[in-house]
Amino acid sequence: MLIGSIEAGGTKFVCAVGDEKGLVLDKTSFSTEEPDKTLAKVESFFKEHPIEALGVGTFGPVDLDKTSNSYGTILKTPKIKWQNYPFLQKLKNTFHVPVAMDTDVNTACLGEYYYGAAKEANSSLYITVGTGIGAGLVQNGQVFQGKNHSEMGHIFVQKHPDDDFKGSCPSHGACIEGLASGPAIEKRYGKKGYLLAENPGVWEMEAFYLAQAIMNYFVMLSPEKIILGGGVMKQEKLYQMVQDEFMNLLNGYLAVDNVKNLIVKPELKDEQGVIGAIMLGVKALKREI
Amino acid sequence: MLIGSIEAGGTKFVCAVGDEKGLVLDKTSFSTEEPDKTLAKVESFFKEHPIEALGVGTFGPVDLDKTSNSYGTILKTPKIKWQNYPFLQKLKNTFHVPVAMDTDVNTACLGEYYYGAAKEANSSLYITVGTGIGAGLVQNGQVFQGKNHSEMGHIFVQKHPDDDFKGSCPSHGACIEGLASGPAIEKRYGKKGYLLAENPGVWEMEAFYLAQAIMNYFVMLSPEKIILGGGVMKQEKLYQMVQDEFMNLLNGYLAVDNVKNLIVKPELKDEQGVIGAIMLGVKALKREI
């Protein structure tokens, strides 16, 4: 069984083929250009591989409401040429195999759920803290979705008492993405996060915000695992700071046996999206999606 | 088909019988006392009604993890005699019919989903703003649950710039329950909410908080309907204030056709819990739970 996988990012596309065990057999990547040019490169990669199904984790927002006429279409995005692009339909027309699509972060969650840090769990939340903040939930092998996909980076949390930064989110200002994403850190301090590695106040504030986001996700969704990934989390000291702050906030209200087993690092390095998209393809083939 | 229904509140128990269409045929209520005394009254009510199944919406927190040894047991609660009480098991032993249990707010959500304000929707969030704040989500007839049930009243949100109240939640201080529940209003202003009906600042602040909570729920869960009930919402002017503030916060990031059809009043008066518990009983009988 050869399954195709696309990780469609705003700046980079990764195309891969793999098997139903999530093993990646071949892979390529290229810059994201306008849709038709990009799709031509996708087509050329898969021409060499006889895939039986295709899974796609895409940037968004994207319409994932199956009852909608524009199911699989990219919605409002700063990448104007992609706006209203019927991405899923184009892929179906090109490859004539079952295609399943979800958001990038939901797809990454699926990868970690099956073959990464959550492989022993029945439910898992994957949070990425990078250029943006997003989170996806998988329970019993199913990606959680309401009418459309979640936008978990746009929740509001308490401001830190020492933080007078108004936030960097163009839509919401001081939502969690506007306060704690990579660009938020850079805008608040005038420097990229990794250049602030030795400034403890930066990371105390970051942990304060991430712990609140995790608190909100945890009390609402009750996942067994919370996987915290993305570029900002390369500051490894953040893990313990976030774990400690989360336990302070939770304050014994709900039982957590060991926070070090609850809030964890990803295990699939940068491949959770690619592997998750393979699993989406497997589900498309089995008609589970 | 005669189905039993229990709405088990911290101060009051409601017992009812009804049919699979959610029609309530008989009903009684009494004060919540210590568990065995209360259960004796429950038993005496149902002795007169040959029920085939029983649904229960209970106060909590309660262990609803089906893989747990203490499934159906009341967890840490200020009502000490109920703590660790194996509520579900006691009911099963007493009535020898299928019994399904969920939280009070999830059960109320189920009632509104099938026969109330969400009967035309595929997914619905029911929020109660009263002695506490809680919310439950139903999608395609299924109550959302992670490892255990949600505790949506304990999320954090931004403080209002004019609010120096530290919050009334014994565990979290200024979580949404600590800032916007009935007791929070009373503690902040030294008066019960209904005595402050003519004080516009009170309700502007309340709408500020509730709209943020709804924003967090909406971006995370993407429900088709958001039903806002509970004692505090008897201040009817709050609906429009919350709708307006929510649209300000969302700021066009996600499409909402008409906020008046999204954020709505309950339709089942004070019976959503009773009717929801009947529907839980129906599901227990059909072995769907």
Side-chain angles (χ1 to χ4, degrees), chain A residues 76 139 145-148 150-151 154-158 171-172 212 216 219-220 222 249-253, chain B residues 76 139 144-148 150-151 154-158 171-172 216 219-220 222 249-253:
Chain A
K76 210 165 74 174
Q139 290 190 300
Q145 188 184 305
K147 185 166 168 58
N148 202 1
S150 300
E151 286 281 355
H154 295 277
I155 60 168
F156 288 101
V157 299
Q158 259 183 45
S171 297
H172 311 120
Q212 277 192 83
N216 287 4
V219 298
M220 287 182 59
S222 189
L249 290 174
L250 190 61
N251 195 23
Y253 183 73
Chain B
K76 210 165 75 173
Q139 288 189 301
F144 172 83
Q145 187 183 306
K147 185 166 170 58
N148 202 3
S150 299
E151 287 280 354
H154 296 278
I155 60 168
F156 288 102
V157 298
Q158 258 183 47
S171 298
H172 312 121
N216 287 3
V219 297
M220 287 181 61
S222 190
L249 289 174
L250 190 62
N251 196 22
Y253 184 72

Side-chain angles (χ1 to χ4, degrees), chain B residues 5 55 107-108 110-112 268 271-281:
Chain B
S5 159
T107 305
L110 211 51
E112 289 285 341
L268 300 181
E271 287 219 316
Q272 48 282 109
V274 169
I275 294 170
I278 293 173
M279 297 314 292
L280 275 181

Side-chain angles (χ1 to χ4, degrees), chain A residues 149-193:
Chain A
H149 62 80
S150 300
E151 286 281 355
M152 300 208 202
H154 295 277
I155 60 168
F156 288 101
V157 299
Q158 259 183 45
K159 284 289 292 280
H160 190 285
D162 300 335
D163 190 14
D164 55 9
F165 178 55
K166 289 197 185 311
S168 65
C169 174
S171 297
H172 311 120
C175 63
I176 189 71
E177 178 168 300
L179 290 170
S181 63
I185 296 172
E186 186 173 351
K187 204 164 173 190
R188 183 188 286 110
Y189 300 103
K191 273 187 200 178
K192 287 196 182 292

